[in-house]
Amino acid sequence: MSKLWGGRFTKETNKLVEEFTASISFDQKLAKEDIAGSMAHVQMLGECGIIPMEDASKIKDGLLAIKKMVDANEVEFLVEDEDIHMNIEKLLIEKIGPVGGKLHTGRSRNDQVATDMHLYLRTKTTELIKLIEDVQQALIGQAKEHIHTLIPGYTHLQRAQPVSFAHHLMAYFWMFERDKERLIDSLKRVNWLPLGSGALAGTTFPINRERVAEILGFETIYPNSMDAVSDRDFILEFLSVGSIIMTHISRFSEELVIWSSQEFQFVELDDSFCTGSSIMPQKKNPDVPELLRGKTGRAYGNLIGLLTVLKGLPLAYNKDLQEDKEGMFDTVVTLEGALKLLAPMIETMTVKKDVMRKAINNDFSNATDIADYLVRKGLPFREAHEVIGKIVLYAIQANKFLLDLSFEEYQSFSPLFNEDIYEVLAPEHVVAVRNSFGGTAPEQVEYQIKLAEGKLQR
Ligand code: ARG
């Protein structure tokens, strides 16, 4: 009987059961974290006199040797040994003999696996924060070039009011800024230490959890062992923040798909970020933003998956919890891939100022401004709105835009119009007068970019 828990059993495990219950095919990703947790645990066991210090040292040396093998890809993980925890423990015993069996004193796989997951997410969350900053930096880079580039601003995907292209890009900067804040905040809870909770009720050994927390860099220790081994809310939080990040990435991707279409042609994605069609030679497809949009689905799926796993579980550990891993790994990989692509795709895209400009010259997105003009001359806004509605209708029927109408034509709608109406209607003016804080006037956008740069310097 070769199982670490084999003592109580009289039969070999059914092979299908072995394969069905094993997690080693995916939790081998936690090898580094598992070894780090064990190193801290055994150090503490030695310091507390729970095992002799020299045994602790032998175990640590053994673990370090295994870590080297893992790093060099030399370990063959076995399904018979079920998961990363028992694979490593068995390797240790093989390597240093029965003394290796002292490692698991005062510990259970239940507090062990929870600790590994906390350590893993801490590393990944920290890395993802940096990747978000790369995207933010790319957005700022393009924004700075395009403070005075005008683009139609839309509501209902209908031209509404012209805006600075920088302003449009910076909207995403702030979405990612809040995502970053959410990740940073989630670290507080990722930094709770489960180890020392045992299987569910604590341990009979005089352990020192503070010491383990100190070695592993945890800020807080779970004060309830049953909570520590059975909740996965720190993963749910990661998956929901991850879903929000993917939502933002997906919306931006959708804009890139629209903007790079033949119909819009506002931007051109770099050739190195597009792919062709196997049949239509003229095609240059925005596959990357499309796939980013598509991959959002799996991030949501991973969140809903784990929420569903958890909702019916009684305390404390249940094997269902093993299902927390693949979705989490998948969301990490998805976010890493998405953020890494997004930054250079933004940096290398060509912004077609002239096309944007042409679009603005051929629309009614300055209509609000003549309404405001009449209001400033004393007309109640509702009445002004009515007058301008009529002017727009007249212009559409005459196949003209607002800047094409003659002064006489304006006067025929209201005697309040003066010659200065043409200045008011110029798109630059329309944008420049939206000079309230957070507005699209170049002055505000410049200030906004300054604020944004301050956020990246922390
Ligand atoms: N592979 C298990 C998991 O991922 C480790 C914990 C197993 N504990 C247990 N009592 N069977 O959840």
Side-chain angles (χ1 to χ4, degrees):
M1 185 64 56
S2 62
K3 298 261 190 257
L4 285 176
W5 41 255
R8 180 231 180 278
F9 287 77
T10 55
K11 278 189 178 175
E12 293 287 323
T13 316
N14 179 308
K15 278 285 159 217
L16 289 173
V17 170
E18 216 166 63
E19 265 164 40
F20 185 70
T21 55
S23 52
I24 188 63
S25 65
F26 47 88
D27 68 9
Q28 51 184 276
K29 275 201 177 195
L30 296 172
K32 245 176 62 193
E33 287 76 13
D34 199 70
I35 292 171
S38 289
M39 296 280 292
H41 179 68
V42 81
Q43 172 73 23
M44 178 278 290
L45 290 179
E47 286 174 11
C48 293
I50 297 169
I51 66 170
M53 205 51 192
E54 57 177 285
D55 289 352
S57 297
K58 279 184 202 148
I59 292 173
K60 283 205 296 184
D61 290 347
L63 286 169
L64 285 176
I66 293 170
K67 184 174 180 308
K68 276 209 185 107
M69 289 167 65
V70 170
D71 289 343
N73 245 327
E74 283 165 11
V75 179
E76 199 205 330
F77 294 112
L78 302 175
V79 171
E80 300 89 271
D81 294 330
E82 197 177 320
D83 58 24
I84 187 63
H85 325 295
M86 291 197 294
N87 266 273
I88 287 180
E89 196 181 326
K90 273 197 89 180
L91 276 173
L92 179 72
I93 294 169
E94 269 165 35
K95 237 183 168 28
I96 66 169
V99 64
K102 295 192 175 185
L103 167 63
H104 213 50
T105 311
R107 181 178 82 169
S108 147
R109 272 187 296 155
N110 297 349
D111 55 350
Q112 188 180 354
V113 69
T115 303
D116 292 2
M117 298 288 275
H118 280 76
L119 286 171
Y120 177 85
L121 264 193
R122 184 169 72 191
T123 306
K124 289 298 171 185
T125 301
T126 312
E127 288 171 9
L128 286 169
I129 290 168
K130 292 206 190 85
L131 292 178
I132 289 183
E133 291 219 333
D134 292 344
V135 173
Q136 289 181 303
Q137 196 66 66
L139 286 166
I140 288 184
Q142 281 285 8
K144 278 179 150 174
E145 299 290 309
H146 294 288
I147 294 172
H148 296 278
T149 302
L150 304 189
I151 186 174
Y154 295 82
T155 63
H156 314 269
L157 204 56
Q158 304 286 329
R159 303 240 180 111
Q161 288 167 356
V163 293
S164 146
F165 185 54
H167 195 52
H168 195 133
L169 291 176
M170 289 304 291
Y172 287 95
F173 174 96
W174 297 107
M175 296 181 216
F176 289 124
E177 181 59 24
R178 291 190 297 278
D179 290 335
K180 208 171 73 187
E181 277 185 12
R182 275 183 273 270
L183 284 178
I184 291 168
D185 194 70
S186 76
L187 281 174
K188 282 187 212 154
R189 289 163 291 281
V190 168
N191 266 322
W192 285 39
L193 171 74
L195 205 62
S197 297
L200 76 161
T203 172
T204 56
F205 294 98
I207 58 169
N208 182 348
R209 296 185 70 195
E210 284 76 13
R211 179 69 181 125
V212 175
E214 183 189 30
I215 297 171
L216 292 174
F218 282 93
E219 285 161 10
T220 308
I221 299 169
Y222 277 90
N224 182 305
S225 59
M226 297 181 83
D227 173 34
V229 295
S230 70
D231 203 1
R232 294 292 183 267
D233 57 355
F234 67 104
I235 304 178
L236 285 179
E237 196 172 344
F238 171 73
L239 293 174
S240 55
V241 175
S243 295
I244 298 173
I245 297 173
M246 285 307 294
T247 306
H248 291 152
I249 291 177
S250 188
R251 292 189 72 176
F252 187 65
S253 298
E254 172 69 5
E255 307 242 41
L256 292 179
V257 171
I258 293 176
W259 288 343
S260 60
S261 69
Q262 204 75 63
E263 285 68 20
F264 274 74
Q265 298 183 45
F266 285 177
V267 304
E268 184 173 348
L269 297 176
D270 194 72
D271 271 8
S272 57
F273 284 87
C274 291
T275 51
S277 157
S278 55
I279 173 165
M280 297 165 284
Q282 84 282 11
K283 295 287 297 285
K284 175 173 163 184
N285 295 329
D287 284 31
V288 174
E290 287 172 81
L291 206 47
L292 293 176
R293 194 174 58 185
K295 280 188 184 288
T296 306
R298 61 165 70 212
Y300 296 177
N302 294 333
L303 170 62
I304 299 296
L306 185 59
L307 282 167
T308 312
V309 166
L310 292 177
K311 75 175 275 288
L313 294 187
L315 296 185
Y317 180 86
N318 301 271
K319 184 75 168 179
D320 315 46
L321 290 172
Q322 185 167 287
E323 285 293 304
D324 63 353
K325 290 178 192 60
E326 286 157 290
M328 181 190 74
F329 292 142
D330 184 70
T331 290
V332 167
V333 169
T334 302
L335 287 171
E336 284 173 348
L339 293 166
K340 277 184 191 162
L341 272 170
L342 200 50
M345 191 165 60
I346 293 169
E347 279 159 12
T348 56
M349 72 185 184
T350 307
V351 178
K352 298 192 184 161
K353 284 182 183 189
D354 299 345
V355 182
M356 291 175 176
R357 182 62 213 209
K358 224 163 146 190
I360 285 178
N361 287 343
N362 295 317
D363 70 15
F364 288 93
S365 60
N366 43 5
T368 316
D369 290 72
I370 3 177
D372 288 356
Y373 175 91
L374 292 182
V375 168
R376 278 193 296 273
K377 305 265 171 182
L379 206 62
F381 179 78
R382 227 5 96 203
E383 279 173 48
H385 188 284
E386 174 78 15
V387 172
I388 309 310
K390 294 223 166 78
I391 297 178
V392 169
L393 182 63
Y394 169 84
I396 290 172
Q397 285 165 349
N399 214 1
K400 288 178 175 179
F401 293 104
L402 294 175
L403 275 168
D404 307 329
L405 299 180
S406 69
F407 185 54
E408 288 68 35
E409 282 172 310
Y410 275 112
Q411 284 261 309
S412 72
F413 285 96
S414 166
L416 293 172
F417 283 116
N418 280 324
E419 296 275 8
D420 61 353
I421 183 64
Y422 296 101
E423 272 161 51
V424 169
L425 288 180
E428 281 71 22
H429 187 267
V430 170
V431 169
V433 291
R434 286 179 165 70
N435 203 15
S436 50
F437 176 67
T440 192
E443 197 184 323
Q444 293 298 332
V445 174
E446 268 163 26
Y447 181 58
Q448 183 187 156
I449 292 174
K450 246 195 216 110
L451 289 180
E453 286 179 320
K455 295 286 182 189
L456 294 187
Q457 281 156 17
R458 105 174 122 204

